[in-house]
Amino acid sequence: MAKKARQRISYVLELDHSSSGGHRLGVNGLAVDRDNAILYSGGRDGVVCAWNLDLDLTSRSKSPAKPIPTTTFRASTQAHTHWINDIALVSHNTALVSASSDLTVKLWRPSTGDTEAHTIGQHADYVKCLATPSAGDWVASGGLDRKIYLWDLNGKGKSLEIDVKSEAAAEKGSVYSLGAGRSILASGGPESIVRLWDPKTGKRVTKFVGHTSNIRAILVNEADDTVITASSDQTIKVWSVTAGRCMYTFTMHNDSVWSLFSEDPGLGVFYSSDRSGLIVKTDTRGTAEMDEGLSVAVAQEHDGVNKVVACGNYIWTATSSSSINRWTGVDTGPDAQLPEPFRRIRSGSTTSRPRQASVTSVNETSKNEIPANSILKMSHTASFPPGLSLRDTSEPNSAAPSMSRKASEIVPDPVLPVIEPIHHLPEETIEGQNGLVKHKLLNDRRRVLTLDTAGDVLLWDLIRCEVIQRFGKRHLEDVEPVVNTREAVAPWCSIDTSSGNLTVVLEPFNCFDAEMYADELKLEEPIDFREDQRINLGRWILRYLFARLIDEEIKRDEAHRKRLNEGIEKRLAATRIDPPSSLPMPTINTQGWGSTASPVTTPRANGPSLVTSPGLGIGVATPAVHLPGVPEKVDTPSSSVEKRSLQASRQSGEDYFSSGISSADAPYKAVTTPATVEPPAPESSKPPAETKEKEKEKDGSKSPSTPFGKKFRMGMPFGSKKTSRSASSNTEKPVVVEEKPEENKSESSSNHEKEVDDSFRGAIQKIHNDYERQLLESPNQSIQTKITPSLPNETPVLKLPSGTKVIIQEETSGGSADLYRGTVMTVGADADIIEEKAPMWLGEVLLMNTIPPKDPVKVSFILHPWQDSLPSIAAADGNNRLNANRMLRVKKILAYVAERIEPPPEEPDPNALKPEEYLELYCNDRRL
């Protein structure tokens, strides 16, 4: 079987909704539905928004000025989990396609009331651009995987795949721009070559060479004989498909040209925008030579313009801001009011200008003259009024400010700025919201500081999934020292704010590595924890992200066992010839939380089981070290639970110190206990519910707090007579060997007898296989549940915000692809999808409370007396090297030191100073 791609779980914390609708980050895509006056926008937050424009876009006449903003939010959908790079209206403007860096191409049909976008296709890397012919039934997408795919809009999926890789430079085959006609498809990218394809066969038609940098935007005319391309080389080129060459090069931009837009079937009028924020309208309709056309600097944005669209008499621009600006259009038709020198040049070419070209401005009421310094020289060859060409190409932009243009462009006066766009302020701004742009994970790896686009600093709790503190408008770097703590916690998650939200990513290889001490928790309902109990952060958050899924699986398990147990009862009834009247039937446990199937409470002898049992108690977050001689009355759990907990215990490394890096259970193995004392049983996988546990702890079975050295002295041959008894070295080795077969046995018996799916469902299949085996081994016993989720003493109850998004992703060569998206509320209803898509390790964590096996990480260190002012605590052989679990409190080391210097009295003084009150510990001259 091929190796399955690695899967990860992500969850997204909800941001405050300051207003309805609007993007949280920059906008990359715009599209206008003229007939319904709706503007669509696609943002870097993965959201597609629809806006009611309340404008007349069908008439070309200039509408009367409206004093107030007219655009209102209409609808939105969280289509993607990463940046949207492009959007396109399809199917006669009834549907919208979006392309994203989450590798998917999605289709949203807001006209039918859809709230969700549906995936129509996927790339192996970021999807950068889309193109669709005006009346076609397909949409093309291009991406960084060097592929162009054609997707059928009637639901038939992928209709064509084009591989763009060229023999010369395969690594430059990424597709950044697409243009579609009825019979040709044009693509461009960092290769600087425009390639033409046949959309029916995928065959290469021709290629155009001439640009010197990345091709960022492409337009194809309706007759399929002209292609216009815009490039980072600051030029716009017009190509003839029939002649197979470049017909004209526009040089009016002085920066990388990012976007092109045209509604004109013949591309006689087009808009272009660049990295400096300049928006230009170019009109070449009715001219014999393109040189005779007109290029006007319409507006200037503060940031680079990612997308420009125009409709009616309006222009919309999208930038790295979350807001969208609307600008008033400029009339460039034959009746346009031009300064006298330009009018003379233009009138010389009007003989060739057909009258229908003036349709756009027949009803033009505004007679505002276009200022001379807003008119751009289109190219090096374009004619220009002689008095205005004061700048020579030899001294580009010498006295020009930041908005300066190329040397060849108009300079009305040497002292004036070179170019003055007609508009500096938009007619309307469609306001966006604030998204996160920066984050800092604090040392406890549970809290995160974030900065949003409004400059506000927030402190989040990753476990509670909420904002816990607001700092207002401050520098994140100033707040960090105030809230950060000095502690070291293992990395267990990664944080991503690229989509403007706080996304936490959990990977199976490390998400169970971090722990915190239970006594540091502030809980609404108190829970009795064992002394020094540790809580695994990854297990804790997963338990409540998927709480509703666990409830659903328990219900399904009950139904499954009910069927099996009914079969057992029928069989028993059939085999009884004369059944006694008062025979008690085995009870079916419907609690779902565990079973009381094993009522055995016989004390165990001091055999191998003593060696393994204490390990059970630790789960992954419990240093269940107890004083010898303190009896603990507890039920004995069933063997399968015992094996699972044993596996979990081996990963946790619960000891603080040991004489060498060895099994995590080492400290327990050396404990010698009278045969009457029962070993501590697992609280993590104990069948009875939490209430029984609390009763026991009230009865006094919870081990009293004990001096540090006494607990751990058993496991460490440090040389003194007291500690060297029952040297741990000889009990450790056989025990480690003894554990292995048990693990293998449980694995072989449960995992390898029957083939199970490599998914969440596989974990359920393992449980069902256990039931079948139990039926074979003891056919007359009712089946008790094997679903044992972690209990609240291991994962205290969390009430997560209902809108917290849960995402299951799969790693691909170009990033990560979403397999499932839901929320904390919907995971139960989506159980079937999750069973199929989620990884098996998640099923084992949630349903069996078993985390993937991993060797515990130990830290090795040496204790020296400070400047020899204290007695040495080295062993008799001079060895003062210690090993400890990396989750270790300083006061534990100090208690150990105190006990080594002076053994505690048999009756300790309750008022005596604690070691941490009179001892200090330094590492690299820093006080810990």
Side-chain angles (χ1 to χ4, degrees), residues 308-612:
V308 58
V309 296
C311 195
N313 198 47
Y314 307 97
I315 301 165
W316 289 267
T317 52
T319 64
S320 56
S321 154
S322 60
S323 301
I324 300 161
N325 284 332
R326 184 184 88 201
W327 309 81
T328 313
V330 174
D331 175 42
T332 55
D335 301 335
Q337 297 295 297
L338 297 176
E340 185 55 36
F342 292 95
R343 223 175 302 152
R344 280 202 303 274
I345 292 177
R346 214 168 185 199
S347 61
S349 64
T350 46
T351 48
S352 58
R353 184 186 291 269
R355 282 316 297 164
Q356 67 264 32
S358 64
V359 158
T360 57
S361 49
V362 167
N363 304 322
E364 190 60 69
T365 53
S366 167
K367 293 293 175 193
N368 293 345
E369 186 177 277
I370 296 172
N373 56 355
S374 298
I375 298 175
L376 302 169
K377 188 168 178 185
M378 294 200 302
S379 74
H380 300 308
T381 59
S383 52
F384 224 59
L388 295 173
S389 306
L390 293 174
R391 291 278 157 102
D392 189 63
T393 42
S394 57
E395 81 167 353
N397 305 332
S398 52
S402 59
M403 253 169 38
S404 58
R405 318 303 315 146
K406 278 208 174 86
S408 57
E409 290 160 5
I410 315 172
V411 183
D413 192 288
V415 259
L416 291 175
V418 182
I419 276 302
E420 195 60 46
I422 294 171
H423 304 300
H424 282 281
L425 289 173
E427 191 177 43
E428 181 193 0
T429 297
I430 304 168
E431 292 293 343
Q433 297 188 55
N434 297 315
L436 305 181
V437 286
K438 195 174 182 183
H439 68 272
K440 170 74 182 171
L441 183 60
L442 299 183
N443 291 343
D444 58 12
R445 295 190 189 269
R446 183 182 157 172
R447 296 174 305 148
V448 174
L449 270 179
T450 62
L451 176 75
D452 68 15
T453 44
D456 288 323
V457 175
L458 303 176
L459 182 64
W460 300 76
D461 186 322
L462 297 185
I463 301 294
R464 299 190 184 284
C465 298
E466 63 189 14
V467 175
I468 49 176
Q469 205 172 345
R470 297 170 188 275
F471 296 95
K473 291 180 170 41
R474 291 179 63 185
H475 287 293
L476 191 133
E477 291 74 16
D478 296 342
V479 178
E480 187 200 328
V482 178
V483 292
N484 219 344
T485 50
R486 279 185 51 192
E487 57 188 304
V489 176
W492 66 284
C493 66
S494 56
I495 309 297
D496 180 28
T497 50
S498 63
S499 63
N501 295 297
L502 187 61
T503 303
V504 186
V505 183
L506 305 178
E507 301 269 12
F509 60 82
N510 72 348
C511 80
F512 302 108
D513 286 2
E515 297 171 327
M516 69 178 292
Y517 281 93
D519 57 20
E520 293 171 5
L521 289 174
K522 296 181 181 72
L523 299 173
E524 290 174 17
E525 297 167 20
I527 296 176
D528 289 329
F529 294 108
R530 294 183 298 284
E531 189 198 357
D532 290 329
Q533 178 171 333
R534 303 201 292 271
I535 288 178
N536 186 296
L537 297 182
R539 184 205 317 242
W540 190 14
I541 185 67
L542 285 171
R543 167 69 179 82
Y544 293 103
L545 284 174
F546 291 99
R548 285 174 178 254
L549 175 68
I550 296 172
D551 295 345
E552 174 63 25
E553 292 299 349
I554 287 170
K555 274 189 209 154
R556 293 182 178 195
D557 181 70
E558 279 174 12
H560 181 75
R561 286 184 296 107
K562 190 179 176 190
R563 286 195 298 275
L564 294 177
N565 288 332
E566 280 170 358
I568 294 170
E569 285 181 33
K570 279 179 191 164
R571 198 171 57 251
L572 285 174
T575 51
R576 277 189 225 112
I577 299 155
D578 186 14
S581 57
S582 62
L583 181 69
M585 289 302 292
T587 54
I588 299 168
N589 170 31
T590 55
Q591 295 303 309
W593 275 95
S595 83
T596 45
S598 169
V600 187
T601 47
T602 324
R604 291 186 181 174
N606 256 356
S609 61
L610 175 67
V611 170
T612 56

Side-chain angles (χ1 to χ4, degrees), residues 570-752:
K570 279 179 191 164
R571 198 171 57 251
L572 285 174
T575 51
R576 277 189 225 112
I577 299 155
D578 186 14
S581 57
S582 62
L583 181 69
M585 289 302 292
T587 54
I588 299 168
N589 170 31
T590 55
Q591 295 303 309
W593 275 95
S595 83
T596 45
S598 169
V600 187
T601 47
T602 324
R604 291 186 181 174
N606 256 356
S609 61
L610 175 67
V611 170
T612 56
S613 299
L616 287 171
I618 37 186
V620 161
T622 338
V625 185
H626 300 283
L627 267 180
V630 180
E632 301 214 8
K633 288 276 182 198
V634 282
D635 294 349
T636 309
S638 64
S639 60
S640 64
V641 175
E642 182 173 316
K643 286 172 193 168
R644 278 208 304 276
S645 311
L646 181 59
Q647 286 177 3
S649 75
R650 275 202 292 279
Q651 303 147 19
S652 67
E654 283 300 334
D655 57 332
Y656 288 106
F657 307 126
S658 59
S659 58
I661 294 181
S662 62
S663 160
D665 299 321
Y668 310 111
K669 287 164 193 158
V671 178
T672 50
T673 352
T676 52
V677 179
E678 275 185 43
E683 291 190 28
S684 58
S685 51
K686 206 182 296 174
E690 183 196 2
T691 47
K692 286 195 180 178
E693 234 164 69
K694 287 191 178 166
E695 281 165 24
K696 277 178 208 145
E697 292 188 354
K698 281 176 193 156
D699 293 343
S701 61
K702 186 180 175 211
S703 83
S705 129
T706 53
F708 177 76
K710 270 210 174 114
K711 273 188 204 172
F712 295 102
R713 188 179 290 147
M714 319 296 183
M716 297 181 292
F718 284 118
S720 71
K721 281 176 186 169
K722 275 186 182 177
T723 54
S724 60
R725 71 199 159 101
S726 82
S728 68
S729 51
N730 31 356
T731 52
E732 259 172 36
K733 281 172 189 157
V735 171
V736 175
V737 173
E738 206 171 15
E739 284 176 342
K740 292 274 190 251
E742 182 153 20
E743 182 175 300
N744 296 342
K745 190 176 98 187
S746 79
E747 273 194 18
S748 63
S749 58
S750 64
N751 302 2
H752 303 308

Side-chain angles (χ1 to χ4, degrees), residues 83 85-86 99-101 126-130 142-144 175-177:
W83 287 23
N85 295 313
D86 200 5
S100 165
S101 294
Y126 291 5
V127 195
K128 294 295 284 183
C129 51
L130 296 169
L144 301 190
V175 182
Y176 275 76
S177 53

Side-chain angles (χ1 to χ4, degrees), residues 666-907:
Y668 310 111
K669 287 164 193 158
V671 178
T672 50
T673 352
T676 52
V677 179
E678 275 185 43
E683 291 190 28
S684 58
S685 51
K686 206 182 296 174
E690 183 196 2
T691 47
K692 286 195 180 178
E693 234 164 69
K694 287 191 178 166
E695 281 165 24
K696 277 178 208 145
E697 292 188 354
K698 281 176 193 156
D699 293 343
S701 61
K702 186 180 175 211
S703 83
S705 129
T706 53
F708 177 76
K710 270 210 174 114
K711 273 188 204 172
F712 295 102
R713 188 179 290 147
M714 319 296 183
M716 297 181 292
F718 284 118
S720 71
K721 281 176 186 169
K722 275 186 182 177
T723 54
S724 60
R725 71 199 159 101
S726 82
S728 68
S729 51
N730 31 356
T731 52
E732 259 172 36
K733 281 172 189 157
V735 171
V736 175
V737 173
E738 206 171 15
E739 284 176 342
K740 292 274 190 251
E742 182 153 20
E743 182 175 300
N744 296 342
K745 190 176 98 187
S746 79
E747 273 194 18
S748 63
S749 58
S750 64
N751 302 2
H752 303 308
E753 285 180 3
K754 278 192 175 178
E755 191 72 35
V756 294
D757 297 344
D758 185 10
S759 63
F760 191 102
R761 189 166 283 141
I764 298 166
Q765 289 167 343
K766 284 184 190 178
I767 291 172
H768 289 180
N769 292 347
D770 268 1
Y771 294 160
E772 287 175 25
R773 194 163 44 255
Q774 198 178 320
L775 274 175
L776 288 171
E777 288 167 6
S778 41
N780 297 338
Q781 272 189 5
S782 63
I783 305 288
Q784 302 299 333
T785 186
K786 297 271 183 178
I787 293 187
T788 51
S790 62
L791 296 177
N793 72 321
E794 245 187 331
T795 50
V797 175
L798 292 174
K799 294 185 174 112
L800 301 182
S802 57
T804 305
K805 291 188 186 67
V806 181
I807 304 165
I808 298 169
Q809 294 172 315
E810 185 173 81
E811 212 171 65
T812 69
S813 56
S816 54
D818 296 355
L819 299 176
Y820 166 77
R821 276 171 42 192
T823 64
V824 166
M825 295 297 286
T826 62
V827 289
D830 298 339
D832 291 332
I833 311 168
I834 295 174
E835 282 181 16
E836 181 191 341
K837 302 287 188 187
M840 186 188 285
W841 63 264
L842 180 67
E844 291 178 338
V845 169
L846 299 181
L847 305 181
M848 307 176 194
N849 198 19
T850 346
I851 61 181
K854 193 174 182 182
D855 290 333
V857 176
K858 295 293 184 75
V859 178
S860 183
F861 60 99
I862 293 170
L863 291 175
H864 286 298
W866 174 260
Q867 297 173 345
D868 295 325
S869 55
L870 292 171
S872 171
I873 56 166
D877 58 359
N879 177 21
N880 56 354
R881 179 177 289 279
L882 299 175
N883 289 314
N885 183 302
R886 66 174 167 186
M887 184 78 178
L888 179 67
R889 281 172 162 167
V890 170
K891 67 180 184 185
K892 292 291 175 188
I893 304 177
L894 295 177
Y896 168 78
V897 171
E899 209 171 281
R900 298 293 309 199
I901 294 171
E902 185 183 3
E906 292 197 2
E907 289 186 14

